[in-house]
Amino acid sequence: MSAENGFIIEEELKKLPGKPGVYLMHAKDGEIIYVGKAVSLKNRVRQYFQSTRNKSPKIVRMVQNIDYFEYIVTDSELEALVLESNLIKEHRPKYNTMLKDDKSYPFICVTAGEMYPRITISRKMKKDSSRYFGPFPTAGAVRDTIDLLRKLYRIRSCDRKLPESIGKDRPCLYHHIGQCPAPCQGGVPEEEYRKQVKKVLEFLSGHYEEEIRALTEKMNAAAEALEYEQAAEYRDLIESIRSVGERQKITGSGSDDRDIIALAVDQPQEENIHLGRTEAVVQVFFVRGGRLIGREHFFLTSGDSSDRGELLRGFLTQYYAGTPFIPGELMLETEIPEQELLEEWLTGRRGAKVQIRVPQRGMKNKLVAMARENAEMVLSRDRERLAREEQRTSGAVHEIEQVLGLADCSRMEAFDISNISGYQSVGSMVVFDQGRPRRSDYRKFRIRTVEGPNDYASMEEVLNRRFARAEAGYDGFAVLPNLLLMDGGKGQVHAAERVLADLGLSVPVAGMVKDDFHRTRGLYFHDREMPIDRNSEGFKLITRIQDEAHRFAIEYHRLLRSKGQVHSVLDGISGIGGARRKALLAHFRTIEDLRAATEEELAEIPSMNRASARSVWEFFHKDGGAAEGKEKAGG
């Protein structure tokens, strides 16, 4: 929306209110390129369009790309901060500081509210009766700890609902190998089981020295009785406990939870100067209960600032908006803007006081310095890799923009159709954001209205459904692409253009053309094939996108065919009715998976019993695999 369309920036600046709120800067094509918050919208937004003196080159470049702006008034600066964080996460504007990593860290969850609690791994910390420990830096460490606790304290691993399911099915394998007392059979009183759960909670709180002493006594007693195998088991358990304990190094005498945060900053390399971005690495040390349980680094990219305090502020708002656990203290290497406002927001999210500190001396200052040193090491180690990654992603997108003459191709969506002689036609939609696959936005479609192998009609159906869902606000569809990529040439491009014209949408469409050997050849755009250097990063990105769209469609089609074949095979097995067939179809994706299952694995599936499991197993293995021919005949 430009001046000729009624939006005159100078006039709109006069209308800005002197109230807190959030402002959104738009490019000519409507893309949101920056989101910010302000105590006074009038004062803050006007600053962008005043003299360029004292403005960084990045701010000047951003302002040159602003075609219009909009704003949302809020009741307070805190509301503006929350809204700003949500809008940045949703729209990922190119000039905001963006957290590249979207990680979720695992917790150990003890389901204390259940009659017979379990120990599980969880990616979210819910507000329920369970006890959560963590977060831990790796899922491997969590699984090792859970396995150890189940062995030590014989805690059940199944997800059966107790006491409702007591006695309804046979005990599992863990009971037979002595790692579960079978509460599912009523084999252990609740009070006795709860004593073991209490020991689990104490262990996870860091109190495991008593367990080591008890196991050491048992090991020595077993060795004296010449029971060496039993003694070896105790020895292995002791080593496992110490291994878990070594991951929790003491960082002080306190028992507080805190995160220690520092960063290293790098300016863009000369060959990437057109990207206008600052690269940074943030290092976080996780201290829980006074113990350093792990560390993790995060990559940041910023299009508007290289100020350390601003970068840290951007990291904090994005990271702690998504993590389920917020400690009571954040220790930073430098002051950040609006520190009190951030503390108020974090306190509201945590439900308890959160303090942000910048330690100047002592052990805490040394820990922050260590975090900064680690961040600098990661950035130094990965500088060349980051530059290469930028060139093959954002740099490649920039090359495609130049080839097609487009201002922005940051979000590209590619579509493909897969079928065999029209059988079970499916469509795929893959999304690349700034040259990187955005798999959470991938979508697949079963063709409903087209009979037979008609790729053009199938593509029109897929596109109509995709943009209808965008209009309805479906998750993963609401954001429109900057460029549509069709797997094909003139015919597919024109089919897409017809759909867009009927819907009144203006989205550029290009075709990914293949040569006679089914390899990517180039781009078909505006009724001609565009010349593109086959050795360029832009060409390589187009090839990756085309291959990904094809892979995603083929895998979905193969899955549907396999399920159809599995269903056909199951129809021929005696004793397998509708309920058991449904349970087996839900559990096994392919015939190969079903054939490879053991009788014990089959028996553990809901609605199956030992007799039906044996019937299925024998069908695939009796007489040298007699089911092989039936499978082919039924597929």
Side-chain angles (χ1 to χ4, degrees), residues 210-483:
E210 184 62 37
E211 189 64 49
I212 289 179
R213 282 194 293 270
L215 286 173
T216 301
E217 290 176 3
K218 291 179 180 179
M219 178 184 69
N220 293 335
E224 289 176 6
L226 304 182
E227 296 174 352
Y228 297 117
E229 289 187 8
Q230 186 68 53
E233 288 184 16
Y234 291 134
R235 179 202 61 202
D236 293 343
L237 283 174
I238 293 169
E239 290 178 357
S240 295
I241 292 173
R242 286 177 174 154
S243 176
V244 169
E246 283 174 2
R247 296 194 182 107
Q248 303 178 327
K249 296 178 181 178
I250 298 292
T251 61
S253 58
S255 59
D256 297 333
D257 296 335
R258 63 173 61 94
D259 287 350
I260 301 163
I261 305 168
L263 82 164
V265 181
D266 193 21
Q267 298 298 327
Q269 300 297 308
E270 192 65 35
E271 61 269 24
N272 290 331
I273 198 69
H274 66 273
L275 300 174
R277 293 196 180 95
T278 296
E279 296 292 342
V281 172
V282 176
Q283 182 81 46
V284 182
F285 286 171
F286 303 108
V287 177
R288 301 294 179 261
R291 298 170 184 270
L292 178 64
I293 67 167
R295 64 179 185 178
E296 189 56 82
H297 62 265
F298 302 84
F299 291 103
L300 290 178
T301 183
S302 173
D304 73 313
S305 175
S306 58
D307 179 77
R308 300 179 75 88
E310 287 285 354
L311 288 171
L312 268 181
R313 175 194 173 278
F315 169 78
L316 295 179
T317 54
Q318 291 180 65
Y319 176 68
Y320 289 107
T323 185
F325 181 84
I326 299 175
E329 184 180 46
L330 306 183
M331 290 177 12
L332 310 183
E333 62 156 274
T334 186
E335 300 284 348
I336 61 171
E338 303 164 329
Q339 180 169 313
E340 291 183 2
L341 181 66
L342 264 291
E343 286 180 334
E344 183 182 354
W345 173 64
L346 290 166
T347 296
R349 289 212 69 238
R350 182 174 184 252
K353 180 68 174 176
V354 177
Q355 292 183 310
I356 298 176
R357 301 183 186 278
V358 182
Q360 302 298 320
R361 61 183 66 85
M363 178 58 72
K364 292 181 179 180
N365 179 257
K366 290 180 180 178
L367 287 170
V368 170
M370 184 167 56
R372 183 169 57 248
E373 182 181 358
N374 276 266
E376 289 170 351
M377 287 173 57
V378 171
L379 185 60
S380 175
R381 182 191 67 201
D382 289 353
R383 183 175 281 113
E384 291 185 9
R385 182 188 62 79
L386 287 170
R388 289 195 303 271
E389 179 66 15
E390 279 298 322
Q391 197 57 44
R392 71 188 294 272
T393 54
S394 300
V397 171
H398 182 68
E399 290 179 10
I400 294 169
E401 290 168 349
Q402 290 181 317
V403 168
L404 301 181
L406 298 174
D408 183 16
C409 292
S410 56
R411 181 183 171 97
M412 294 184 278
E413 294 182 3
F415 294 82
D416 191 16
I417 300 295
S418 177
N419 63 69
I420 296 179
S421 300
Y423 171 69
Q424 284 188 332
S425 292
V426 300
S428 69
M429 164 184 151
V430 301
V431 180
F432 277 65
D433 186 5
Q434 294 292 352
R436 296 176 175 86
R438 192 177 178 85
R439 292 185 175 83
S440 61
D441 284 0
Y442 283 18
R443 295 295 183 269
K444 47 198 177 188
F445 306 82
R446 292 184 74 164
I447 304 304
R448 300 170 180 168
T449 63
V450 181
E451 296 292 337
N454 188 335
D455 283 359
Y456 295 154
S458 297
M459 184 62 74
E460 289 183 4
E461 178 190 325
V462 167
L463 291 174
N464 270 299
R465 286 163 61 187
R466 183 262 178 269
F467 289 108
R469 291 175 182 177
E471 187 175 355
Y474 280 66
D475 285 345
F477 292 101
V479 181
L480 295 181
N482 304 110
L483 176 66

